[in-house]
Amino acid sequence: MIWIVFAAMTAAVIGALLWPAVTSRPAETRAERAAYDRAVFRDQLAELERDVARGVIGQAEADAARNEISRRLIAAAGEVRAKTAPGFASAAIAATLIVPAVALPLYLMAGNPLLPDVPHAWRMENAENNGDMPALIQKVEQHLEKEPDDLQGWQILAPLYRRDQRWDDAAEAYRNILRLQPPDAANISDYAEARVMANQGMVAAPAQALFRQALKLDPTFPKARFYDALALKQQGKADEARAAFEAFLKDTPADAPWRPMLLAEMQDMSAKPPALDQQTMADASQMSGADQQAMIRGMVDGLEQKLAANPDNLEGWLRLIRARAVLGEAGKAKAAYDRAKGQFASNPDALSQIDGLAKEMNVE
């Protein structure tokens, strides 16, 4: 009886999947669809900013949504007129029928609920040979509960936690590695990086102190140099951060794996206004004026919201003032200028930079 139910369910799903393919009318052109999509995405950006203003969505979620909508807006702007690919219905029918034909024998071999369970002890014993990462992690954890001073166990566990982005657990594993062997720049930096990632990418003072400890042991260690410069950037120390990034870039080989990330941070510091990556901005240059304005204003609004949460970011205020002025939003540029002046009222160097930019952009 149960097989009849399964067969009926499968047939219903196949029918639902095939119905659009066999009954669809000629598709509208991509250009027409793209025009509609662009209007929708502009509305989505506006609605997102209203949600942020009402406090119904968090800053991190808003940033991710704003970036995704902007990219879709760019993609829609680049659509060209095209017809539905020939043979689409036939391909859809074939693909839909092949899936259950392949899945059924695999299910009977491995997914049948009547098959006996794999014993837990067998999974633990063969975790490494079978590439069963959850079982392997559990096996090492159980071992370390009994032998917490086993350095090799922590050295195995730390990268596994890192692979699964379990950053708090990874930090604890790296802490134990440092506890059990003499510290070096690599282990200290791995521990500090795990703490940074657990802190949503913010280099807090304790993590920066660890990176500087690593740099005392090895002043050229790349990971420590990058995060120390990033900490300066996040603290609003723009000149110090820029100097640190530039010195690091000078010592970085052209094929170094961290070079793109380093260049991205440096580009972010000099963006006017805040920008996406170079390819995205090149694509954006082909967009209509309305689409560009919608995307850029969304990004600038996002920057202003970040500054509300982190008002000590001098570089951010300078970018916001410049961006508002470039967009022709004189009132908002003046408001950002006044807020920045109030924030850094006791910092003569910061006030000098703010006033210099305001004069350059005719904000005063």
Side-chain angles (χ1 to χ4, degrees):
M1 178 64 181
I2 190 170
W3 296 107
I4 297 176
V5 174
F6 285 161
M9 292 173 62
T10 302
V13 171
I14 292 174
L17 292 173
L18 290 179
W19 181 256
V22 300
T23 62
S24 61
R25 295 173 296 176
E28 60 183 339
T29 66
R30 290 188 179 181
E32 293 168 345
R33 179 66 184 179
Y36 171 78
D37 287 345
R38 292 199 304 274
V40 170
F41 294 145
R42 287 196 296 270
D43 289 343
Q44 288 179 348
L45 281 171
E47 180 63 26
L48 176 63
E49 302 310 327
R50 288 193 291 270
D51 288 344
V52 172
R54 294 198 306 269
V56 300
I57 184 172
Q59 185 58 53
E61 293 83 356
D63 288 343
R66 186 180 296 106
N67 199 42
E68 179 60 24
I69 295 170
S70 297
R71 292 183 186 279
R72 291 184 180 182
L73 182 58
I74 292 172
E79 288 289 345
V80 296
R81 186 180 185 90
K83 296 181 178 179
T84 303
F88 171 77
S90 299
I93 293 171
T96 307
L97 294 177
I98 287 172
V99 170
V102 174
L104 181 59
L106 291 176
Y107 169 78
L108 293 175
M109 288 189 298
N112 191 333
L114 300 178
L115 292 174
D117 292 335
V118 176
H120 182 266
W122 185 91
R123 276 193 69 197
M124 295 296 103
E125 183 178 352
N126 295 276
E128 187 172 358
N129 293 334
N130 294 333
D132 188 342
M133 288 299 106
L136 179 60
I137 291 173
Q138 185 178 353
K139 181 179 179 180
V140 179
E141 288 173 338
Q142 291 172 349
H143 167 73
L144 288 171
E145 287 179 1
K146 301 175 183 177
E147 302 288 342
D149 292 337
D150 181 359
L151 173 61
Q152 186 177 13
W154 292 112
Q155 288 173 331
I156 292 172
L157 197 57
L160 293 177
Y161 284 148
R162 184 186 186 91
R163 170 184 173 272
D164 290 346
Q165 298 185 7
R166 294 170 57 178
W167 297 113
D168 286 318
D169 292 331
E172 178 64 15
Y174 284 120
R175 187 191 67 80
N176 278 286
I177 291 173
L178 288 172
R179 176 176 64 86
L180 295 169
Q181 70 175 18
D184 59 27
N187 287 334
I188 294 173
S189 296
D190 286 340
Y191 174 42
E193 182 181 42
R195 294 184 61 168
V196 169
M197 301 308 293
N199 195 34
Q200 306 300 316
M202 296 301 298
V203 188
Q208 186 182 18
L210 286 168
F211 287 122
R212 292 193 167 179
Q213 181 183 346
L215 289 172
K216 288 181 180 179
L217 297 174
D218 182 356
T220 66
F221 194 70
K223 184 178 293 185
R225 293 185 73 179
F226 175 81
Y227 280 107
D228 184 50
L230 182 62
L232 294 172
K233 175 186 173 184
Q234 292 177 351
Q235 293 162 11
K237 300 176 180 178
D239 292 338
E240 294 179 50
R242 187 175 292 106
F245 279 131
E246 289 175 351
F248 185 21
L249 182 62
K250 184 178 179 181
D251 298 335
T252 296
D255 59 348
W258 60 85
R259 187 181 181 90
M261 185 165 56
L262 175 58
L263 290 172
E265 290 295 338
M266 296 179 68
Q267 178 186 352
D268 180 66
M269 293 188 68
S270 60
K272 305 175 184 180
L276 301 175
D277 57 86
Q278 291 181 351
Q279 183 58 50
T280 302
M281 292 306 295
D283 294 340
S285 67
Q286 307 300 318
M287 297 165 58
S288 70
D291 291 342
Q292 286 184 2
Q293 291 294 310
M295 184 188 73
I296 293 173
R297 279 196 168 85
M299 295 168 65
V300 176
D301 289 342
L303 173 61
E304 187 169 29
Q305 290 151 16
K306 287 182 179 179
L307 289 172
N310 180 26
D312 292 328
N313 184 353
L314 174 60
E315 182 69 11
W317 285 110
L318 295 175
R319 290 168 57 195
L320 180 63
I321 294 169
R322 183 183 295 275
R324 292 300 190 194
V326 169
L327 291 173
E329 299 174 339
K332 291 185 177 180
K334 180 64 165 58
Y337 167 70
D338 291 339
R339 290 167 61 193
K341 292 265 289 185
Q343 180 64 34
F344 296 97
S346 59
N347 187 333
D349 291 339
L351 290 176
S352 176
Q353 293 185 58
I354 294 168
D355 288 334
L357 176 64
K359 184 175 181 181
E360 175 189 343
M361 304 305 296
N362 295 318
V363 172
E364 290 181 286

